[in-house]
Amino acid sequence: QLRGVYGRNNFKYVGYIMFTIVTHYSPDLDAIASVWLIKKFLPNWQDAQIRFAPAGKTFEGQIVDSDPTFLHVDTGMGFLDHHHTSEYICAAKKVYEFIINEINKGNQKNMQMWEDESLLRMCDVITFYDHFGEARLPDAAADYHVFDVVSIINGLKSLYPDDDHKIMDTGFILLDSIYKQMQEKAWAEKILESDAKYFETKWGQGMGVVTINDEVLEVAQKKGVIVVVRKDPHKNYVRIKGAPGTAVDVSDAFAKLKEKDHDATWFLHASKK
């Protein structure tokens, strides 16, 4: 069986072998994301084994980037590490750029160049966290930051200090969820630009849209829309939301909808929004 092997500067085929991704012990978000990107998006590497090395070192002292079947990420001071540079970047961003380059080498003839806006946006956020950007937030000490993915991973490291594979596997699940949510958000932003209808209400700007994307409600309200309405074209249900901290009260609309659409399961939240 032949499998493709990606080296730093070229692509070649060799006999069936085991690919290995190396990162540092006690992996952080950047290390986990780097491995996740390779296993999920780099062709032929989905079954690669994961090995760990001391921070900054290589696996069993091998020369970094000398073996195309080994990729060192976020450690080893190689081309997929960033700790030997003062550049504002992270290993995951380097891995993303590497994957883009390798995949598109084979796409140049048909001009179908691959890229992924959601992954790029995720890598920008990972870079922010990897440079401890959250410490500069105006509410950096607020308790809700404990629910951030970096804090969750730190909790995993405390729970499983001797099980880096457990941390890695759980991190993969978190990143799968974040990737899906980032895709939904990016899609919602495009829907709001192209398909949404905007109108005025007595409380402020309103927006209505027919879409299966439920994220449009939160994205619109985070952008300042006061009243948002979404109808699902497949299930035919409707959601109406008023922004928190505003005077919106949809009690009258609720009463009218209950009367006109009495077979439906209309529910009014206690906030009247």
Side-chain angles (χ1 to χ4, degrees):
Q1 182 177 1
L2 296 179
R3 299 191 65 174
V5 177
Y6 289 84
R8 180 175 181 181
N9 299 313
N10 60 357
F11 173 76
K12 62 181 179 180
Y13 286 101
V14 300
Y16 183 83
I17 57 171
M18 176 62 72
F19 299 115
T20 303
I21 308 168
V22 182
T23 192
H24 56 79
Y25 290 118
S26 189
D28 60 357
L29 174 62
D30 193 22
I32 295 169
S34 298
V35 177
W36 175 80
L37 283 165
I38 292 171
K39 287 180 69 70
K40 195 173 184 72
F41 297 101
L42 187 60
N44 299 316
W45 284 74
Q46 66 273 10
D47 297 323
Q49 62 182 343
I50 304 170
R51 292 291 182 264
F52 301 93
K57 305 297 183 181
T58 61
F59 182 69
E60 296 183 342
Q62 67 178 236
I63 299 174
V64 69
D65 304 331
S66 62
D67 183 343
T69 69
F70 274 75
L71 287 177
H72 285 78
V73 297
D74 205 34
T75 192
M77 306 298 178
F79 80 106
L80 295 180
D81 193 7
H82 69 106
H83 292 100
H84 50 310
T85 174
S86 59
E87 185 180 0
Y88 182 74
I89 198 169
C90 68
K93 184 70 172 290
K94 283 178 167 282
V95 169
Y96 171 74
E97 293 172 349
F98 169 65
I99 293 172
I100 287 284
N101 180 64
E102 293 298 333
I103 290 178
N104 287 333
K105 280 181 181 179
N107 293 338
Q108 290 176 353
K109 291 183 179 179
N110 56 26
M111 300 300 292
Q112 294 179 350
M113 308 301 284
W114 181 78
E115 59 183 2
D116 192 311
E117 176 191 352
S118 297
L119 287 180
L120 180 59
R121 290 170 67 165
M122 285 176 63
C123 287
D124 287 339
V125 176
I126 294 167
T127 301
F128 169 82
Y129 277 119
D130 205 49
H131 289 261
F132 200 29
E134 65 268 35
R136 300 189 297 273
L137 295 174
D139 59 350
D143 284 348
Y144 68 80
H145 289 301
V146 175
F147 290 79
D148 292 348
V149 66
V150 169
S151 191
I152 292 171
I153 290 171
N154 287 338
L156 288 171
K157 291 197 275 188
S158 296
L159 283 171
Y160 309 105
D162 301 318
D163 194 345
D164 289 335
H165 286 285
K166 177 84 169 183
I167 297 167
M168 190 69 67
D169 290 342
T170 308
F172 286 177
I173 295 172
L174 293 173
L175 287 168
D176 282 339
S177 301
I178 292 169
Y179 180 47
K180 180 61 177 177
Q181 189 66 4
M182 186 65 82
Q183 289 177 314
E184 292 291 311
K185 180 183 180 184
W187 179 26
E189 291 169 348
K190 291 179 173 62
I191 291 171
L192 292 175
E193 291 179 1
S194 60
D195 300 331
K197 305 298 182 182
Y198 294 89
F199 51 89
E200 290 299 319
T201 77
K202 61 183 178 181
W203 305 293
Q205 187 181 45
M207 181 279 297
V209 66
V210 178
T211 178
I212 63 173
N213 184 308
D214 199 50
E215 191 66 16
V216 294
L217 299 181
E218 292 192 9
V219 172
Q221 291 199 320
K222 288 175 180 178
K223 290 179 177 292
V225 180
I226 303 302
V227 180
V228 292
V229 183
R230 178 182 81 89
K231 180 170 183 176
D232 188 303
H234 295 162
K235 299 178 180 178
N236 287 323
Y237 65 60
V238 176
R239 293 188 67 194
I240 303 169
K241 289 187 67 177
T246 66
V248 174
D249 183 339
V250 294
S251 299
D252 290 344
F254 171 70
K256 292 176 182 177
L257 288 167
K258 286 280 286 186
E259 179 182 354
K260 292 178 178 292
D261 194 19
H262 52 78
D263 290 332
T265 56
W266 286 101
F267 170 77
L268 179 64
H269 192 270
S271 66
K272 313 301 182 186
K273 300 187 188 331

